[in-house]
Amino acid sequence: MRLIMLGAPGAGKGTQSTFFAERLNIPHISSGHLFRKNITEKTELGKEVQEIISRGELVPDRIVIAMMMERILQRDCGRGYILDGFPRTYEQATALKHALLEYGEQIDHALSLEVPDELIKKRMPSRLVCPDCDTSYSALNNPPLVPGVCDRCGAQLVTRADDNEETVSKRLETFHNETEPLKDYYRRKGILIEVDGTKNPDEVYKDIVRALVHHGNH
């Protein structure tokens, strides 16, 4: 199964993507994780990405598309994958569509987590992320079992530098202008599934499963 996870920053895309990657035994491919890997390794790409992200802007399509397609074509994606943070623009979505068509593949479902901006702004300062496996946590509704420690790999959790109030507001504005229109794009293709993302992560996961089963029967 090839899935796309849509939603505003802080909507819970990373958490739900992790759930489904483990359930379906497919890779969770996060554009943010790929970017941070390059940033940590201080590659030339990483330096460029760091400067862009620190301004609360989106990484240019030319960088994102090349990086994501290289990852999607790796052997472990043969059974499917879940894309988190990509595509973010209409150009990226159409580039993904055409690239997949070359291999006789297509996206099965686009899952959109619906969370109001005001709740996003409350969530973001409490968000923690694992720098090693990219698992996300929240002190509000999804805390780690041991404070400050990742449940999955034991690494020390960190707060992202771009989760401050000013940058979050910029990222939300960019999301509404650039990414939210993708809902209509995938709705027209008949593969969009919208889910209430304001609930507890376990409840959101169950709602997505039910929606996928219902969608698969129609």
Side-chain angles (χ1 to χ4, degrees):
M1 184 177 289
R2 299 169 184 84
L3 303 172
I4 290 173
M5 190 70 70
L6 299 173
K13 298 187 299 297
T15 298
Q16 297 303 322
S17 295
T18 298
F19 286 167
F20 275 91
E22 292 176 348
R23 174 189 172 93
L24 300 175
N25 193 28
I26 57 177
H28 166 202
I29 303 176
S30 162
S31 59
H33 183 63
L34 291 179
F35 294 151
R36 286 188 288 277
K37 183 174 184 293
N38 278 273
I39 291 170
T40 300
E41 295 175 356
K42 299 186 185 303
T43 65
E44 288 303 313
L45 176 61
K47 294 176 184 176
E48 184 178 0
V49 169
Q50 174 64 73
E51 182 178 344
I52 294 167
I53 291 177
S54 67
R55 297 196 299 265
E57 300 174 1
L58 290 180
V59 179
D61 288 349
R62 62 177 177 82
I63 297 176
V64 183
I65 293 169
M67 185 183 299
M68 295 299 290
M69 289 310 304
E70 179 182 10
R71 178 67 185 90
I72 287 171
L73 295 176
Q74 292 179 11
R75 184 185 299 272
D76 64 337
C77 293
R79 295 181 59 254
Y81 44 79
I82 182 163
L83 302 182
D84 169 11
F86 176 87
R88 279 182 169 158
T89 65
Y90 176 80
E91 290 75 18
Q92 290 180 6
T94 54
L96 174 63
K97 171 189 173 183
H98 293 306
L100 291 178
L101 282 176
E102 292 184 15
Y103 296 89
E105 299 178 359
Q106 62 183 2
I107 296 299
D108 296 305
H109 301 288
L111 308 172
S112 178
L113 300 180
E114 303 298 313
V115 182
D117 286 4
E118 290 309 309
L119 181 54
I120 293 290
K121 292 176 181 178
K122 290 179 181 178
R123 281 184 176 181
M124 293 297 269
S126 70
R127 185 164 73 162
L128 297 169
V129 65
C130 177
D132 291 349
C133 69
D134 208 44
T135 302
S136 296
Y137 300 88
S138 170
L140 293 177
N141 63 358
N142 184 36
L145 296 175
V146 178
V149 178
C150 179
D151 297 347
R152 298 182 69 205
C153 69
Q156 291 295 312
L157 301 176
V158 299
T159 301
R160 292 178 183 166
D162 59 339
D163 278 352
N164 62 78
E165 184 176 350
E166 181 180 357
T167 305
V168 168
S169 294
K170 290 182 180 178
R171 290 166 67 194
L172 282 171
E173 182 179 358
T174 301
F175 167 76
H176 291 307
N177 291 335
E178 299 284 343
T179 307
E180 200 160 30
L182 288 183
K183 288 166 58 177
D184 285 337
Y185 175 79
Y186 288 115
R187 185 180 288 111
R188 289 194 300 270
K189 293 182 176 299
I191 64 171
L192 179 72
I193 296 176
E194 296 176 278
V195 177
D196 181 358
T198 65
K199 301 178 182 179
N200 174 280
D202 289 334
E203 294 176 333
V204 174
Y205 172 74
K206 292 176 182 176
D207 286 348
I208 293 175
V209 171
R210 282 192 288 268
L212 284 171
V213 171
H214 176 79
H215 201 268
N217 291 329
H218 289 77

